[in-house]
Amino acid sequence: MRKIDMADQIWARLLAMRGGRTGVTAAEESDPIVALYGPIASASGSFVLAQVGQSLDGRVATPAGDARDISGPDGIAHLHRCRALVEAVIVGVGTVKADNPRLSVRAVKGPNPVRVVVDCRAQLTGDEKLFHDGGAPVILIQGHDAPPISYAAEVLRVRRTEQGLDPQAMLDALSERGLNRILVEGGARTIARFIDAGLVDRLHVAIAPLIIGSGPAGISLPPIDQLSSAHRPPARVYSLGSDILFDCELRQAASSAGMNGQKIRMADHA
Ligand SMILES: NC(=O)c1ccc[n+]([C@@H]2O[C@H](COP(=O)([O-])OP(=O)(O)OC[C@H]3O[C@@H](n4cnc5c(N)ncnc54)[C@H](OP(=O)(O)O)[C@@H]3O)[C@@H](O)[C@H]2O)c1
């Protein structure tokens, strides 16, 4: 297992790589820190990272919705590094309603990403913390037929179908605003829709040593009968310290299997 022990110098180097401004040198390629974060930082076109922080038993919250402090301090630092390396972080409206998050970079030094909330039916009231905390800009993505409500945020309208909003249409709308390196941070339903659409390049699953016992899972797929039908993306395993991280290459797995994302199907209740 590779160990992630971040030093200020290599972190500064990764921040300098953002958006492909400088590439990874041959000498850096064997460094586990560069192997983990380099592809996120140096992506010059569209790049989608999905991240789940979960317990040993695969839960991301209690049944009552408490999701704070699942990840240990090194898992939190990892999440904040990912936020600092992308241009925008996406969460679903369920996460904002449950956690009222700031979605900022606090555990490490680095820039704050633009905050994007998928709120198809305009369920947010406008009173939520992220609209008023003076942090990075907020973009709301709503269905074309969502009721008009005034927010301290830019509102993007995307055509709503029976399946909801097309994740590719969301990425296109963000790309038009220069936002191409994206972190999909949760919750399970939002991540599921991006994976289902075959749009996730990397999936990070950070596992912390606690057992919650019941509660929602970070990823939910339709049942399979045989383990031979399970998805087995190429993965590297890293010790973050307090948490263990699986870095899965989803896009490569889908295309090498000729799936183009179509076979990675999420359950309707995901
Ligand atoms: N541990 C972690 O890593 C982590 C991270 C984030 C959140 N969480 C936890 O996850 C839970 C929330 O997850 P969740 O799955 O219930 O909610 P969620 O994914 O945050 O939000 C789901 C809602 O977002 C909207 N949405 C997302 N993608 C959409 C699309 N493509 N088209 C249309 N609407 C879309 C839908 O709203 P409509 O219902 O209006 O259609 C959907 O119901 C909370 O308990 C939170 O604490 C854990």
Side-chain angles (χ1 to χ4, degrees), residues 52-53 60-61 65 67 92-95 98-99 118 120-121 123 164-165 170 185-190 193:
V52 178
V60 295
V93 64
T95 296
D99 301 344
V118 185
C120 188
R121 294 173 288 149
Q123 295 179 57
L165 310 181
M170 295 192 236
E185 196 175 307
R189 284 180 283 173
T190 301
R193 282 166 154 152

Side-chain angles (χ1 to χ4, degrees), residues 64-225:
D66 185 4
R68 305 252 171 212
D69 301 328
I70 286 187
S71 297
D74 300 312
I76 297 285
H78 167 72
L79 174 61
H80 285 215
R81 278 181 210 124
C82 292
R83 286 180 183 170
L85 294 176
V86 298
E87 290 163 318
V89 55
I90 297 179
V91 293
V93 64
T95 296
V96 176
K97 283 169 40 178
D99 301 344
N100 211 3
R102 280 180 281 177
L103 302 173
S104 58
V105 176
R106 303 182 299 279
V108 299
K109 281 186 187 162
N112 291 313
V114 170
R115 300 171 290 180
V116 180
V117 183
V118 185
D119 183 15
C120 188
R121 294 173 288 149
Q123 295 179 57
L124 296 182
T125 63
D127 292 334
E128 292 78 9
K129 195 159 55 187
L130 80 173
F131 293 118
H132 306 289
D133 63 4
V138 179
I139 294 177
L140 283 181
I141 301 185
Q142 298 186 334
H144 67 280
D145 53 355
I149 298 174
S150 179
Y151 296 98
E154 180 180 6
V155 178
L156 304 181
R157 299 274 179 168
V158 170
R159 172 151 289 280
R160 186 173 70 86
T161 67
E162 277 183 12
Q163 287 75 44
L165 310 181
D166 176 9
Q168 183 65 63
M170 295 192 236
L171 293 184
D172 291 344
L174 295 176
S175 181
E176 281 171 17
R177 283 151 184 81
L179 304 171
N180 293 300
R181 292 193 318 284
I182 307 291
L183 169 62
V184 183
E185 196 175 307
R189 284 180 283 173
T190 301
I191 288 181
R193 282 166 154 152
F194 277 89
I195 294 179
D196 194 27
L199 295 173
V200 175
D201 295 281
R202 293 278 179 120
L203 171 67
H204 283 185
V205 180
I207 302 173
L210 81 164
I211 299 169
I212 301 175
S214 56
I219 301 171
S220 183
L221 290 153
I224 54 171
D225 291 330

